């Protein structure tokens, strides 16, 4: 049998660090070691857009709200940078954590971004005011190109408003991985302290804990059909947990 030819992406950019998919745009988005983010057509792998960043990227998430769509990029400084993929321009950035961001999840129904970090914290940020700021910028650009409340190059730090951010300390030594169960509506985090915890996305209250690994858990995945959690620690030990019985 003949093997189908596999297209190779990004030879000129170096090693791939992370990827995500923008289903709405049919884009495969890849971040490379040379601080370049490239968007490819998901079928042809034709290069569609590129974005340059200043710091090493740790996570990517394409976010499509009813009014705006952007690529959220978490980095080693603890900041989230937001890019318009149509223009490649950074439209906003905000400092979220004291150390590098290790996970980023968009909760669409709650219109919020959930992040975790090596600083040990899980943070929940509403996008309501964030989107209001984007409207201001869009109107300013359309009317007079004046800067208004937001720098025209997007190089601004969003001010925190009451109720915008909630945080909870999760793991000593840092949060290594975070996943979300839409069906059970719980967040699950793993840390350097070898524990796995479940959280409410609404209050960020701890609702469960899993103990059993003797090494830090570096990866997790939820099996949606059975609501089981697969965890893998740094020694290669794999465990299976029932998320309905914690």
């Amino acid at each position: 049998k003949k093997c189908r030819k596999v297209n190779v992406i990004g030879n000129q950019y170096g090693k791939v660090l992370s990827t995500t998919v923008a289903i709405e745009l049919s884009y495969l988005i890849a971040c490379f070691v040379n601080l370049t983010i490239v968007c490819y057509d998901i079928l042809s792998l034709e290069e569609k857009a590129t974005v340059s960043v200043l710091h090493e990227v740790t996570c990517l998430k394409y976010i499509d709200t009813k009014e705006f769509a952007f690529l959220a990029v978490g980095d080693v400084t603890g900041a989230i940078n937001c890019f318009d993929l149509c223009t490649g321009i950074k439209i906003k950035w905000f400092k979220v954590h004291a150390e590098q961001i290790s996970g980023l999840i968009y909760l669409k129904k709650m219109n919020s971004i959930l992040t975790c970090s090596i600083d040990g914290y899980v943070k929940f940020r509403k996008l309501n005011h964030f989107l209001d700021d984007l409207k201001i910028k869009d109107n300013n650009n359309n009317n007079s190109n004046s800067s208004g409340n937001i720098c025209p190059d997007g190089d601004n730090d969003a001010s925190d408003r009451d109720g915008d951010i909630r945080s909870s300390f999760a793991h000593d030594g840092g949060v290594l991985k975070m996943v979300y169960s839409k069906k059970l509506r719980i967040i699950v985090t793993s840390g350097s302290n070898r524990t796995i915890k479940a959280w409410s996305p609404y209050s960020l209250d701890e609702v469960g804990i899993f103990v059993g690994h003797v090494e830090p858990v570096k990866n997790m995945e939820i099996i949606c059909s059975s609501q089981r959690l697969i965890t893998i620690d740094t020694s290669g030990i794999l465990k299976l947990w029932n998320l309905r019985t914690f």
Side-chain angles (χ1 to χ4, degrees):
K1 294 183 179 180
K2 291 184 177 180
C3 295
R4 188 172 68 89
K5 182 180 178 181
V6 177
N7 293 328
V8 178
I9 65 172
N11 282 337
Q12 69 271 38
Y13 301 113
K15 181 181 177 182
V16 177
L17 296 180
S18 57
T19 61
T20 190
V21 175
I23 297 176
E24 297 84 354
L25 299 176
S26 296
Y27 278 1
L28 168 65
I29 304 171
C31 177
F32 294 89
V33 71
N34 71 339
L35 303 183
T36 301
I37 298 171
V38 185
C39 302
Y40 299 92
D41 181 272
I42 206 165
L43 295 178
S44 66
L45 292 186
E46 178 186 354
E47 189 173 310
K48 293 293 187 180
T50 60
V51 169
S52 295
V53 294
L54 296 176
H55 304 283
E56 182 181 336
V57 172
T58 54
C59 51
L60 300 164
K61 183 65 180 178
Y62 182 72
I63 296 174
D64 189 2
T65 70
K66 292 181 179 179
E67 298 172 300
F68 290 96
F70 55 92
L71 178 67
V73 179
D75 65 28
V76 294
T77 70
I80 294 178
N81 299 272
C82 303
F83 293 91
D84 182 342
L85 290 184
C86 295
T87 62
I89 295 174
K90 182 165 67 174
I91 55 177
K92 197 174 184 70
W93 78 275
F94 43 90
K95 182 78 170 179
V96 184
H97 291 275
E99 298 183 54
Q100 78 173 50
I101 296 175
S102 53
L104 190 159
I105 295 172
Y106 174 53
L107 304 178
K108 190 168 187 177
K109 287 188 176 181
M110 302 174 71
N111 197 31
S112 303
I113 290 178
L114 191 67
T115 58
C116 61
S117 169
I118 300 303
D119 65 11
Y121 282 88
V122 174
K123 295 193 177 184
F124 175 100
R125 185 185 186 100
K126 289 186 177 181
L127 290 181
N128 296 11
H129 294 302
F130 170 78
L131 295 177
D132 288 342
D133 287 345
L134 288 186
K135 289 180 187 177
I136 293 171
K137 178 182 177 183
D138 191 50
N139 289 335
N140 288 337
N141 287 341
N142 289 336
N143 294 333
S144 62
N145 291 324
S146 61
S147 61
N149 293 329
I150 296 180
C151 299
D153 62 357
D155 226 0
N156 61 291
D157 192 354
S159 60
D160 297 339
R161 297 175 171 89
D162 291 341
D164 272 8
I165 295 180
R166 296 200 307 271
S167 65
S168 182
F169 188 78
H171 298 274
D172 289 321
V175 184
L176 301 181
K177 183 73 175 180
M178 177 174 64
V179 292
Y180 175 66
S181 171
K182 186 184 297 185
K183 188 172 183 179
L184 296 179
R185 296 181 182 177
I186 58 169
I187 306 157
V188 183
T189 60
S190 67
S192 296
N193 60 353
R194 304 181 299 279
T195 60
I196 302 160
K197 296 181 179 181
W199 308 82
S200 164
Y202 304 100
S203 62
L204 285 189
D205 290 335
E206 184 182 320
V207 296
I209 187 167
F210 305 88
V211 179
H213 281 283
V214 296
E215 297 292 340
V217 174
K218 64 178 181 179
N219 208 351
M220 300 187 295
E221 195 68 45
I222 292 175
I223 305 173
C224 297
S225 58
S226 63
Q227 294 305 308
R228 297 294 200 275
L229 175 71
I230 299 174
T231 59
I232 304 173
D233 65 28
T234 54
S235 68
I237 298 297
L238 182 149
K239 291 181 181 289
L240 186 67
W241 314 82
N242 187 348
L243 289 178
R244 296 182 181 275
T245 59
F246 62 81

